[in-house]
Amino acid sequence: MAVTEAARTEVVCAEAAAAADTTGGTAAAGRAAQELGLKRGEFELAVHLGIVRTAAEQSGGRPRVRREEIDRLRSESGFPDAVRERVRTVGTAEGARLLGISPVRFTRLARAGCITPVTFYLNRYRAVVWLYLAQEVLDFAARAPQLLAGNSPVWMRARLDAGTDWRARNWRAQRIERLLSRTEDPWRRAAVLAGVLDPVQLAEVVDDPYERAYLARIRPEPVFGLPGSVAAREAMTQLMQADDPDEILWRRINLIMELDGARASRQAPRPGDDHWSVPLPFADPGTESLLDPAPGLLARLGLRRRVTGRRATGNGVPTKTVE
């Protein structure tokens, strides 16, 4: 009797979970991934690339997938292999095999900015391992076959000799472009750009602490939430932050322009407003002088004062990178 009762309880719980995952004509990310035959990482990448369109929750929860979207993808020719092929990623070794070159040459191409990674993971040594879309690797081979053999061009040798590594920067740029393409809301667009600046840089551009809190609240996150491990979250944070002076300046200018449009459309929530739930953030040590409004574009960009304590790493990643 006890066994029967336990089995009945499991069935009821499973049915309740399934109903919770498919409410209001939408499905949770995990349920949608299962129905589309995608692994967790594949589904997350499919959402990021726009292959799977999500619907934002009105309550501010994680994005869900409409039933019509799941049915659309399942009805496509070649499902599910066709969907999986569009999100297939390769590392350095497999990418080199696709191009018929050595892993060393593939790494040089990636470091020089010829091939842009689409995602990454941390290996057991906490080193960043870059992954590339297989289709983009093949497209590069068709677009620039001259770079696959012979001597590297002068511009490429100059970049590599200077020790620059464009992988993190290109990954950031591509990620930002895709996130911006998914929203027209000026505040959410500003939140995407704000995530590229460290707290000191952000405080210089956005002097209102309530605006910074609002930008942090609406900043887009992966469909399954932030990585579970502390090391992965730290790596994600470091990789997202611009670290080259010209990249920082470019992102600051873009953020200022987006903020001008956002402020013209509506004010950020403040204490006393309806649905206010954003706490006032604590100021970072040493940034008190940055919180005063500064008129003029040069002052807003922080070009009239120098910020000390900026990290001096090459690609903004505290962990090492697997070549």
Side-chain angles (χ1 to χ4, degrees):
M1 178 64 69
V3 174
T4 303
E5 187 65 27
R8 185 182 298 112
T9 302
E10 290 180 0
V11 171
V12 172
C13 291
E15 291 176 347
D21 278 350
T22 55
T23 57
T26 62
R31 181 62 178 268
Q34 182 181 8
E35 293 194 33
L36 294 174
L38 298 175
K39 298 177 182 178
R40 181 187 178 103
E42 292 174 334
F43 180 82
E44 194 165 35
L45 187 55
V47 171
H48 177 63
L49 296 175
I51 298 172
V52 177
R53 298 188 293 263
T54 59
E57 278 287 274
Q58 297 298 326
S59 59
R62 291 179 183 172
R64 299 175 67 88
V65 183
R66 298 186 186 279
R67 171 55 53 185
E68 308 89 79
E69 178 70 1
I70 297 176
D71 295 339
R72 179 185 69 83
L73 291 167
R74 290 177 61 89
S75 64
E76 288 184 351
S77 176
F79 177 85
D81 294 337
V83 178
R84 282 199 293 261
E85 182 60 25
R86 294 171 68 183
V87 296
R88 183 167 73 93
T89 57
V90 295
T92 298
E94 190 175 355
R97 283 195 295 270
L98 283 177
L99 299 182
I101 60 177
S102 68
V104 173
R105 192 178 188 99
F106 185 94
T107 298
R108 288 172 60 86
L109 290 169
R111 289 177 63 92
C114 300
I115 307 173
T116 300
V118 70
T119 187
F120 70 93
Y121 69 91
L122 298 184
N123 63 14
R124 59 179 177 173
Y125 304 108
R126 295 189 177 182
V128 174
V129 181
W130 293 109
L131 297 175
Y132 310 81
L133 278 178
Q135 188 56 55
E136 287 189 354
V137 171
L138 295 174
D139 291 343
F140 165 76
R143 186 173 63 252
Q146 69 277 9
L147 296 179
L148 303 182
N151 295 328
S152 301
V154 176
W155 64 265
M156 182 174 170
R157 292 199 303 270
R159 283 187 178 183
L160 296 174
D161 292 343
T164 56
D165 187 346
W166 284 73
R167 288 175 293 185
R169 180 170 179 170
N170 284 352
W171 171 79
R172 280 192 297 271
Q174 193 177 78
R175 183 177 185 275
I176 290 170
E177 289 175 5
R178 285 169 173 156
L179 289 174
L180 290 177
S181 68
R182 285 160 52 182
T183 180
E184 294 296 328
D185 181 78
W187 278 106
R188 293 189 181 276
R189 291 175 63 85
V192 171
L193 296 170
V196 187
L197 301 177
D198 68 23
V200 174
Q201 297 277 351
L202 183 60
E204 285 188 322
V205 178
V206 189
D207 47 51
D208 187 331
Y210 294 107
E211 288 185 344
R212 293 200 302 274
Y214 184 51
L215 292 173
R217 189 183 72 174
I218 63 176
R219 187 175 302 161
E221 292 184 1
V223 67
F224 288 109
L226 295 174
S229 70
V230 175
R233 289 198 298 270
E234 291 177 348
M236 184 71 172
T237 300
Q238 294 294 332
L239 285 171
M240 270 303 304
Q241 292 181 359
D243 62 350
D244 194 74
D246 65 326
E247 182 188 6
I248 293 172
L249 178 60
W250 175 245
R251 295 305 176 191
R252 289 169 73 120
I253 293 173
N254 287 339
L255 176 56
I256 286 174
M257 292 190 297
E258 288 290 350
L259 278 174
D260 288 343
R263 289 162 177 161
S265 66
R266 67 180 186 275
Q267 186 182 26
R270 309 187 74 81
D273 293 347
D274 293 339
H275 309 298
W276 167 258
S277 61
V278 183
L280 173 63
F282 292 101
D284 295 315
T287 63
E288 291 82 356
S289 62
L290 305 180
L291 300 181
D292 296 327
L297 179 61
L298 291 179
R300 294 168 74 188
L301 288 172
L303 297 181
R304 293 180 178 173
R305 54 191 165 192
R306 300 182 63 86
V307 179
T308 59
R310 184 67 184 167
R311 67 178 184 273
T313 54
N315 62 358
V317 187
T319 53
K320 58 185 178 181
T321 303
V322 171
E323 300 297 338

PDB file of all heavy atoms in Angstrom, residues 22-36:
ATOM      1  N   THR A  22       4.006  24.530 -18.444  1.00  0.00           N
ATOM      2  CA  THR A  22       3.278  24.893 -19.667  1.00  0.00           C
ATOM      3  C   THR A  22       2.012  25.656 -19.300  1.00  0.00           C
ATOM      4  O   THR A  22       0.906  25.165 -19.473  1.00  0.00           O
ATOM      5  CB  THR A  22       2.915  23.627 -20.464  1.00  0.00           C
ATOM      6  OG1 THR A  22       2.177  22.730 -19.608  1.00  0.00           O
ATOM      7  CG2 THR A  22       4.163  22.915 -20.949  1.00  0.00           C
ATOM      8  N   THR A  23       2.194  26.845 -18.757  1.00  0.00           N
ATOM      9  CA  THR A  23       1.051  27.656 -18.357  1.00  0.00           C
ATOM     10  C   THR A  23       0.899  28.825 -19.305  1.00  0.00           C
ATOM     11  O   THR A  23       1.882  29.371 -19.810  1.00  0.00           O
ATOM     12  CB  THR A  23       1.254  28.180 -16.921  1.00  0.00           C
ATOM     13  OG1 THR A  23       2.468  28.920 -16.866  1.00  0.00           O
ATOM     14  CG2 THR A  23       1.301  27.039 -15.927  1.00  0.00           C
ATOM     15  N   GLY A  24      -0.358  29.229 -19.516  1.00  0.00           N
ATOM     16  CA  GLY A  24      -0.625  30.404 -20.325  1.00  0.00           C
ATOM     17  C   GLY A  24      -0.167  30.307 -21.761  1.00  0.00           C
ATOM     18  O   GLY A  24       0.152  31.310 -22.381  1.00  0.00           O
ATOM     19  N   GLY A  25      -0.126  29.088 -22.330  1.00  0.00           N
ATOM     20  CA  GLY A  25       0.299  28.933 -23.708  1.00  0.00           C
ATOM     21  C   GLY A  25       1.789  29.069 -23.919  1.00  0.00           C
ATOM     22  O   GLY A  25       2.248  29.201 -25.048  1.00  0.00           O
ATOM     23  N   THR A  26       2.565  29.063 -22.826  1.00  0.00           N
ATOM     24  CA  THR A  26       4.018  29.141 -22.919  1.00  0.00           C
ATOM     25  C   THR A  26       4.639  27.988 -22.141  1.00  0.00           C
ATOM     26  O   THR A  26       3.979  27.356 -21.316  1.00  0.00           O
ATOM     27  CB  THR A  26       4.548  30.466 -22.354  1.00  0.00           C
ATOM     28  OG1 THR A  26       4.211  30.547 -20.958  1.00  0.00           O
ATOM     29  CG2 THR A  26       3.954  31.655 -23.091  1.00  0.00           C
ATOM     30  N   ALA A  27       5.907  27.733 -22.417  1.00  0.00           N
ATOM     31  CA  ALA A  27       6.629  26.672 -21.729  1.00  0.00           C
ATOM     32  C   ALA A  27       7.898  27.237 -21.130  1.00  0.00           C
ATOM     33  O   ALA A  27       8.509  28.165 -21.677  1.00  0.00           O
ATOM     34  CB  ALA A  27       6.972  25.542 -22.703  1.00  0.00           C
ATOM     35  N   ALA A  28       8.284  26.702 -19.979  1.00  0.00           N
ATOM     36  CA  ALA A  28       9.541  27.099 -19.366  1.00  0.00           C
ATOM     37  C   ALA A  28      10.703  26.668 -20.248  1.00  0.00           C
ATOM     38  O   ALA A  28      10.563  25.796 -21.116  1.00  0.00           O
ATOM     39  CB  ALA A  28       9.666  26.490 -17.974  1.00  0.00           C
ATOM     40  N   ALA A  29      11.859  27.265 -20.022  1.00  0.00           N
ATOM     41  CA  ALA A  29      13.016  26.996 -20.876  1.00  0.00           C
ATOM     42  C   ALA A  29      13.387  25.517 -20.871  1.00  0.00           C
ATOM     43  O   ALA A  29      13.661  24.933 -21.924  1.00  0.00           O
ATOM     44  CB  ALA A  29      14.200  27.853 -20.420  1.00  0.00           C
ATOM     45  N   GLY A  30      13.388  24.895 -19.704  1.00  0.00           N
ATOM     46  CA  GLY A  30      13.754  23.485 -19.633  1.00  0.00           C
ATOM     47  C   GLY A  30      12.800  22.599 -20.411  1.00  0.00           C
ATOM     48  O   GLY A  30      13.226  21.672 -21.114  1.00  0.00           O
ATOM     49  N   ARG A  31      11.498  22.880 -20.286  1.00  0.00           N
ATOM     50  CA  ARG A  31      10.500  22.096 -21.002  1.00  0.00           C
ATOM     51  C   ARG A  31      10.618  22.313 -22.515  1.00  0.00           C
ATOM     52  O   ARG A  31      10.527  21.364 -23.311  1.00  0.00           O
ATOM     53  CB  ARG A  31       9.100  22.471 -20.515  1.00  0.00           C
ATOM     54  CG  ARG A  31       7.966  21.697 -21.185  1.00  0.00           C
ATOM     55  CD  ARG A  31       8.097  20.191 -20.898  1.00  0.00           C
ATOM     56  NE  ARG A  31       7.011  19.455 -21.491  1.00  0.00           N
ATOM     57  CZ  ARG A  31       5.873  19.166 -20.830  1.00  0.00           C
ATOM     58  NH1 ARG A  31       5.726  19.560 -19.573  1.00  0.00           N
ATOM     59  NH2 ARG A  31       4.922  18.480 -21.421  1.00  0.00           N
ATOM     60  N   ALA A  32      10.831  23.556 -22.927  1.00  0.00           N
ATOM     61  CA  ALA A  32      10.974  23.856 -24.348  1.00  0.00           C
ATOM     62  C   ALA A  32      12.205  23.174 -24.934  1.00  0.00           C
ATOM     63  O   ALA A  32      12.160  22.627 -26.043  1.00  0.00           O
ATOM     64  CB  ALA A  32      11.059  25.371 -24.554  1.00  0.00           C
ATOM     65  N   ALA A  33      13.307  23.190 -24.200  1.00  0.00           N
ATOM     66  CA  ALA A  33      14.529  22.528 -24.665  1.00  0.00           C
ATOM     67  C   ALA A  33      14.294  21.028 -24.857  1.00  0.00           C
ATOM     68  O   ALA A  33      14.752  20.436 -25.842  1.00  0.00           O
ATOM     69  CB  ALA A  33      15.658  22.771 -23.675  1.00  0.00           C
ATOM     70  N   GLN A  34      13.572  20.429 -23.931  1.00  0.00           N
ATOM     71  CA  GLN A  34      13.273  19.001 -24.027  1.00  0.00           C
ATOM     72  C   GLN A  34      12.431  18.698 -25.261  1.00  0.00           C
ATOM     73  O   GLN A  34      12.706  17.740 -25.988  1.00  0.00           O
ATOM     74  CB  GLN A  34      12.559  18.547 -22.758  1.00  0.00           C
ATOM     75  CG  GLN A  34      12.237  17.053 -22.728  1.00  0.00           C
ATOM     76  CD  GLN A  34      11.510  16.654 -21.452  1.00  0.00           C
ATOM     77  OE1 GLN A  34      11.113  17.499 -20.665  1.00  0.00           O
ATOM     78  NE2 GLN A  34      11.352  15.357 -21.254  1.00  0.00           N
ATOM     79  N   GLU A  35      11.424  19.521 -25.522  1.00  0.00           N
ATOM     80  CA  GLU A  35      10.555  19.279 -26.673  1.00  0.00           C
ATOM     81  C   GLU A  35      11.278  19.525 -27.995  1.00  0.00           C
ATOM     82  O   GLU A  35      10.927  18.934 -29.022  1.00  0.00           O
ATOM     83  CB  GLU A  35       9.308  20.160 -26.586  1.00  0.00           C
ATOM     84  CG  GLU A  35       8.387  19.808 -25.429  1.00  0.00           C
ATOM     85  CD  GLU A  35       7.015  20.451 -25.562  1.00  0.00           C
ATOM     86  OE1 GLU A  35       6.560  20.602 -26.713  1.00  0.00           O
ATOM     87  OE2 GLU A  35       6.422  20.799 -24.528  1.00  0.00           O
ATOM     88  N   LEU A  36      12.288  20.387 -27.983  1.00  0.00           N
ATOM     89  CA  LEU A  36      13.037  20.672 -29.205  1.00  0.00           C
ATOM     90  C   LEU A  36      14.251  19.770 -29.366  1.00  0.00           C
ATOM     91  O   LEU A  36      14.983  19.876 -30.355  1.00  0.00           O
ATOM     92  CB  LEU A  36      13.493  22.138 -29.201  1.00  0.00           C
ATOM     93  CG  LEU A  36      12.374  23.180 -29.270  1.00  0.00           C
ATOM     94  CD1 LEU A  36      12.939  24.586 -29.109  1.00  0.00           C
ATOM     95  CD2 LEU A  36      11.612  23.055 -30.590  1.00  0.00           C
TER      96      LEU A  36
END
